[in-house]
């Protein structure tokens, strides 16, 4: 039964028995594989038509890892040295520069990657982190359909092409939220590891404190401190000093000078700058947006609404709050969508929800063709669906209890 027929009959529509959704998802999965294979053959991915390596975001990870293996981890934060090694690893001086802005703990990952040839390391990195992302979405959805939905999500292709860490971010963030009710300490450990990308965690400490989830909070803090101290011992205090000294330079290059292209920066800050607004205006608007988002999400987490909606709101808010976000980061948007799907499986899908999922996915899918900051629009669509469910729950006074959560089959 399709969504319209189910609504007419007064019955809840079940995504698991929807043949069109299944076929669309399967088609997107096949299209992703075909695109990657064709790009490899045509010299558009990994290697160009002359057999040379194509520079992507992953080259900054590999170059940083080589510097670690050479005994110079602090040099990863020296643009001149890091850039020269990027050129050497690719074999020629390409346009632009992929800066290294990650905290020192991520150098462990970079060093492991650099033990392999660059192209092999990039592919293996994606192949290892992709299943973790799929597992997180499947756990949240609680049904096997979650695997298909995760694989079909359009942001998957963007992350594969550039060899970025969207899969890892989504796995850690989604895993933390998915485990928070049942395994709070483990959830906190995953959040502690997410500090490799601290701008995605702006809202988490506030929400954990506001909702009194102290076991999650202290577990996250302990793991963050542990990986920090471990990296200090492994790479030296000078590496942390170099990291903090590099932050103003990197921030100026990306957020002040726009070296990463304003149209690729998927945030309110990026939209303002892409439209010609000043940096001061962009910061004021982004700051106000962070404040409003934080207040709303914290209030929601103190309310009686279902955990699915709380988790979906926090995951969406994490994307909206940060000024520094690119399309590969939008793999994380699959997390709030997964929680909404789980809520729909438990209590029935609302009218227009599947259309909203499709619209958000389409915006991400068409980004390579329009090259404008449309990511926030996709997030706002999902946020709108969350808000509607929250309002309906509060009006009815019957929040879905955790005991109704569907268990994996």
């Amino acid at each position: 039964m399709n969504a319209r027929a189910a609504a007419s009959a007064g019955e809840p529509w079940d995504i698991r028995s929807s043949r069109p959704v299944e076929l669309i998802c399967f088609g997107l999965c096949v299209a992703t594989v075909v695109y990657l294979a064709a790009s490899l053959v045509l010299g558009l991915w990994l290697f160009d038509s002359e057999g040379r390596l194509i520079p992507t975001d992953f080259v900054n990870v590999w170059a940083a890892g080589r510097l670690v293996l050479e005994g110079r981890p602090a040099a990863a934060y020296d643009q001149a040295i890091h850039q020269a090694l990027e050129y050497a690893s690719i074999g020629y001086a390409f346009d632009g520069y992929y800066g290294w802005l990650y905290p020192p703990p991520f150098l462990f990952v970079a060093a492991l990657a650099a033990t392999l040839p660059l192209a092999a390391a990039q592919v293996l990195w994606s192949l290892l982190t992709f299943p973790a992302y799929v597992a997180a979405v499947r756990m949240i959805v609680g049904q096997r359909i979650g695997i298909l939905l995760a694989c079909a999500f359009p942001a998957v292709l963007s992350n594969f092409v550039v060899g970025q860490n969207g899969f890892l971010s989504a796995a850690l963030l989604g895993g933390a939220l998915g485990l928070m009710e049942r395994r709070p300490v483990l959830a906190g450990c995953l959040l502690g590891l997410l500090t490799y990308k601290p701008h995605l965690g702006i809202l988490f400490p506030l929400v954990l404190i506001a909702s009194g989830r102290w076991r999650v909070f202290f577990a996250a803090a302990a793991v963050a401190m542990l990986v920090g101290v471990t990296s200090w011992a492994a790479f030296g205090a000078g590496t942390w000093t170099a990291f903090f000294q590099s932050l103003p330079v990197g921030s100026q290059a990306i957020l002040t000078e726009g070296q990463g292209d304003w149209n690729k920066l998927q945030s309110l800050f990026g939209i303002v700058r892409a439209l010609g607004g000043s940096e001061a205006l962009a910061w004021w608007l982004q700051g106000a947006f962070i404040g409003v988002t934080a207040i709303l999400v914290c209030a929601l987490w103190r309310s009686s609404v279902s955990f699915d909606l709380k988790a979906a709101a926090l995951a969406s808010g994490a994307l909206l709050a940060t000024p520094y976000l690119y399309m590969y980061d939008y793999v994380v948007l699959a997390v709030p969508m997964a929680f909404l799907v789980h809520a729909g499986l438990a209590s029935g899908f609302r009218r227009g929800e599947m259309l909203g999922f499709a619209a958000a996915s389409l915006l991400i899918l068409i980004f390579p063709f329009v090259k404008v900051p449309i990511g926030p629009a996709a997030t706002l669509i999902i946020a709108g669906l969350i808000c509607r469910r929250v309002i309906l729950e509060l009006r009815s006074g019957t929040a879905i209890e955790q005991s109704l959560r569907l268990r994996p089959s």
Side-chain angles (χ1 to χ4, degrees), residues 337-351:
M337 293 173 70
F339 277 107
L340 284 175
V341 169
H342 184 268
L345 290 171
S347 62
F349 287 89
R350 310 302 183 196
R351 179 176 298 176

Side-chain angles (χ1 to χ4, degrees), residues 67-123:
L67 289 169
V68 173
L69 296 180
E70 293 174 5
R72 298 186 292 159
Y77 300 99
D78 185 307
Q79 177 174 335
I81 296 175
H82 189 247
Q83 184 176 31
L85 191 50
E86 285 186 350
Y87 292 167
S89 63
I90 294 296
Y92 57 93
F94 53 86
D95 292 334
Y97 166 60
Y98 298 97
W100 178 259
L101 298 175
Y102 297 101
F106 203 58
L107 288 172
F108 287 115
V109 174
L112 286 174
T115 60
L116 297 173
L118 176 55
Q122 177 177 334
V123 173

Side-chain angles (χ1 to χ4, degrees), residues 179-189 213 215-217 219-220:
L179 293 169
M180 195 171 289
E181 292 287 271
R182 293 171 291 163
R183 305 284 298 277
V185 174
L186 181 55
C189 292
R213 295 177 183 268
R215 285 192 290 174
V216 181
F217 180 88

Side-chain angles (χ1 to χ4, degrees), residues 115-326:
T115 60
L116 297 173
L118 176 55
Q122 177 177 334
V123 173
L124 185 61
W125 166 250
S126 296
L127 292 178
L128 288 177
T129 53
F130 178 66
Y133 148 72
V134 174
V137 172
R138 199 273 188 214
M139 175 185 65
I140 294 167
V141 174
Q143 299 288 328
R144 293 190 181 93
I145 187 66
I147 297 175
L148 187 59
L149 294 173
C151 295
F153 192 52
V156 165
L157 179 59
S158 299
N159 197 78
F160 263 117
V161 169
V162 298
Q164 261 290 352
N165 44 48
F167 296 147
L168 179 61
S169 298
L172 292 174
L173 192 149
L177 290 172
L179 293 169
M180 195 171 289
E181 292 287 271
R182 293 171 291 163
R183 305 284 298 277
V185 174
L186 181 55
C189 292
L190 295 180
L191 284 179
L193 295 176
L194 187 61
T195 54
Y196 90 95
K197 210 155 192 178
H199 53 284
L200 285 179
I202 295 174
L203 299 181
F204 276 90
L206 300 175
V207 167
L208 295 177
I209 293 172
S211 59
R213 295 177 183 268
W214 298 110
R215 285 192 290 174
V216 181
F217 180 88
F218 287 117
V223 169
M225 291 179 61
L226 178 62
V227 296
V229 170
T230 303
S231 65
W232 182 296
F235 307 127
T239 304
W240 276 96
T241 301
F243 164 65
F244 286 116
Q245 290 176 342
S246 72
L247 287 181
V249 178
S251 298
Q252 180 176 353
I254 296 173
L255 300 178
T256 301
E257 300 173 5
Q259 293 182 12
D261 188 345
W262 300 126
N263 290 318
K264 293 181 180 180
L265 198 59
Q266 305 296 313
S267 65
L268 177 59
F269 183 96
I271 292 174
V272 174
R273 297 293 277 152
L275 293 175
S278 67
E279 182 183 5
L281 176 63
W283 276 121
W284 274 106
L285 291 177
Q286 183 70 53
F289 196 52
I290 292 173
V292 172
T293 302
I295 292 171
L296 292 176
V297 174
C298 286
L300 182 64
W301 272 69
R302 292 180 60 85
S303 73
S304 62
V305 301
S306 63
F307 182 79
D308 279 335
L309 299 186
K310 292 178 181 179
L314 179 51
S316 299
L319 293 175
L320 292 172
T322 176
Y324 182 75
L325 203 70
Y326 286 94

